[in-house]
Amino acid sequence: MIITTTPSIAGKEIIEYRGIVFGEVISGINVIKDFAAGLSNFFGGRSGTYEDELLRARECALQELERRAEANGANAVVGVDIDYEVLGADNGMLMVTASGTAVIVK
């Protein structure tokens, strides 16, 4: 499956549009990860725990997007956009949404 942020795919012709597809993931940060990130914030530097969680959530959202595109009979997704939000009373949840247009290309 080809997944791209561009509206077309070089060397491929879009022969059918199969609709908009989404992949959503809501991920919680546990107390230990939050504590480790707090130390990074206090002492400075990057938070590997948050970065790892963000990477995992993004990969899962893209996998879900691909699964839904395949279920629609598509072999590619164009115009992909990825959005990030924090949720919850204490901002302890991360939501990653990947969206795009499922298409059939040849």
Side-chain angles (χ1 to χ4, degrees):
M1 165 118 8
I2 299 171
I3 298 176
T4 181
T5 59
T6 60
S8 61
I9 301 168
K12 302 283 185 181
E13 178 186 358
I14 295 174
I15 59 173
E16 188 175 340
Y17 290 87
R18 303 297 292 206
I20 298 171
V21 289
F22 296 89
E24 302 95 352
V25 172
I26 298 177
S27 177
I29 304 296
N30 66 33
V31 174
I32 295 171
K33 288 181 182 178
D34 200 31
F35 177 75
L39 291 176
S40 294
N41 186 37
F42 182 77
F43 292 109
R46 295 170 61 168
S47 171
T49 54
Y50 279 170
E51 288 176 0
D52 290 345
E53 190 62 32
L54 181 63
L55 176 63
R56 188 194 68 72
R58 183 176 54 239
E59 288 174 353
C60 288
L62 287 169
Q63 288 170 357
E64 183 67 17
L65 175 83
E66 181 176 349
R67 186 189 67 74
R68 290 180 178 167
E70 287 174 346
N72 280 353
N75 63 356
V77 182
V78 296
V80 173
D81 181 48
I82 300 175
D83 292 314
Y84 305 89
E85 297 287 334
V86 290
L87 305 171
D90 61 353
N91 292 330
M93 304 292 285
L94 171 68
M95 179 174 71
V96 179
T97 304
S99 61
T101 303
V103 298
I104 298 175
V105 298
K106 69 172 188 167

